Amino acid sequence: MVQQILYRALVSTKWLAERVRASKIGPDLRVLDASWYEPGQRDAQKEFREQHIPGASFFDIEECKDKSSPYEFMLPSEKHFADYVGHLGISNHTHVVVYDGDHLGSFYAPRAWWMFRVFGHRTVSVLNGGFKNWVKEGHPVTSEFTPPEPGVFKASLDKSLLKTYEEMMTNMTSKRFQMVDSRSEGRFRGTEPEPGKEGLEPGHIPGSLNMPFFDFLTKEGFEKDTEEIRIMFQEKKVDLSKPLIATCRKGVSACHIALAAYLCGKPDVAVYDGSWSEWFRRAPPEYRISNWNRNKA
């Protein structure tokens, strides 16, 4: 029974609230706020300092990434990740629960969930409903923070859950992997602008299918039930028995695809970390589908 709890991808607000009340947050159970917002919109660290789940630490995606990369949120090295999460009090035996404060209920938490998994850590879960519903349901929050005792974490990169640009190019001819893009339909089709850095036009990788990540969430911000998610994949003609790569703009919302498939019993979805941000800048024009220039004309 314990193993089932530790390895499930989602935990409920009720489940976590019971453990907070029982003072179970510690070396065996760590909670991380993985919030991030576009500059000028909200300040994730300030909001964490003002209120967070008791015992939680802040998982700073700006610090836990490859800072030498020209792309926004590429994975850090094994050592970087191990050192970073170790300072958050996490060891290889810790059950990690991640959440964020996005108004949708969840945005960056699945990225943190996938990062732990890609570095070999399986006992990680997403808080279903996120901080939005934690507060709405009246669970405790605090502004107090005590740095956790450091843990020893050993990271081991699972390359089967990660795809590089070179591997994506190989897939253009081999077509071994299905590709699913988690951005909005307009950005996928090239009819709406891409947010963020200038010069990045909308569009998609040839052969990919579109499943906007927010469609996996209810209007209240919870993950839809497994059977509903399974039907969504079927309607898009995504075969969960076959290899699958998830993409987006910068490797974040793609992790919602990996999480949704995991809930359906498919734990091996790979994420293209560079996603459209890298593909648009590196791939030959014939490997980019976009109507953007035509629409602007």
Side-chain angles (χ1 to χ4, degrees), residues 198-252:
E198 286 190 32
L200 186 64
E201 295 179 6
H204 63 271
I205 300 170
S208 55
L209 302 169
N210 183 217
M211 295 186 73
F213 78 94
F214 42 79
D215 286 347
F216 293 109
L217 301 172
T218 67
K219 63 180 181 180
E220 294 82 14
F222 295 97
E223 200 77 18
K224 289 181 177 177
D225 67 70
T226 302
E227 190 54 37
E228 191 172 358
I229 292 173
R230 198 185 307 277
I231 291 172
M232 290 170 64
F233 279 117
Q234 290 174 350
E235 289 177 343
K236 288 291 184 175
K237 301 191 185 313
V238 177
D239 188 343
L240 294 180
S241 69
K242 296 180 179 179
L244 174 62
I245 299 171
T247 74
C248 55
R249 176 166 73 96
K250 53 188 179 182
V252 173

Side-chain angles (χ1 to χ4, degrees), residues 184-193 202-203 290-292 294-295:
S184 67
E185 182 179 2
R187 291 163 60 192
F188 177 82
R189 293 187 178 279
T191 59
E192 297 174 1
S290 176
N291 295 319
W292 187 241
R294 186 176 65 197
N295 288 336

Side-chain angles (χ1 to χ4, degrees), residues 35-47:
S35 300
W36 187 90
Y37 308 108
E38 292 287 346
Q41 292 185 358
R42 292 168 61 180
D43 187 330
Q45 293 197 45
K46 179 175 181 291
E47 290 184 18

Side-chain angles (χ1 to χ4, degrees), residues 1-2 4-6 8 11-26 28-31 53-55 95 97 125 127 134 139-140:
M1 185 63 178
V2 173
Q4 182 182 356
I5 292 174
L6 291 179
R8 63 185 179 185
V11 297
S12 68
T13 50
K14 179 183 177 182
W15 182 94
L16 184 58
E18 289 173 350
R19 280 143 185 83
V20 169
R21 284 194 296 269
S23 301
K24 296 293 186 182
I25 308 302
D28 295 328
L29 176 63
R30 292 292 183 195
V31 181
I53 294 174
H95 181 195
V97 175
S125 309
L127 178 64
W134 178 271
H139 299 303

Side-chain angles (χ1 to χ4, degrees), residues 62 65-75 165 196-200 249-250 272-282:
E62 291 284 1
K65 69 175 185 179
D66 180 0
K67 296 183 180 181
S68 67
S69 173
Y71 309 111
E72 290 175 83
F73 293 123
M74 299 291 275
L75 283 176
Y165 169 78
K197 293 183 178 180
E198 286 190 32
L200 186 64
R249 176 166 73 96
K250 53 188 179 182
Y272 172 27
D273 203 23
S275 282
W276 183 247
S277 293
E278 180 181 41
W279 188 263
F280 179 79
R281 290 176 171 86
R282 296 187 64 185

Side-chain angles (χ1 to χ4, degrees), residues 125-147:
S125 309
V126 172
L127 178 64
N128 197 12
F131 193 62
K132 165 186 172 179
N133 283 287
W134 178 271
V135 173
K136 182 179 179 181
E137 294 168 9
H139 299 303
V141 296
T142 185
S143 61
E144 297 179 4
F145 175 70
T146 302

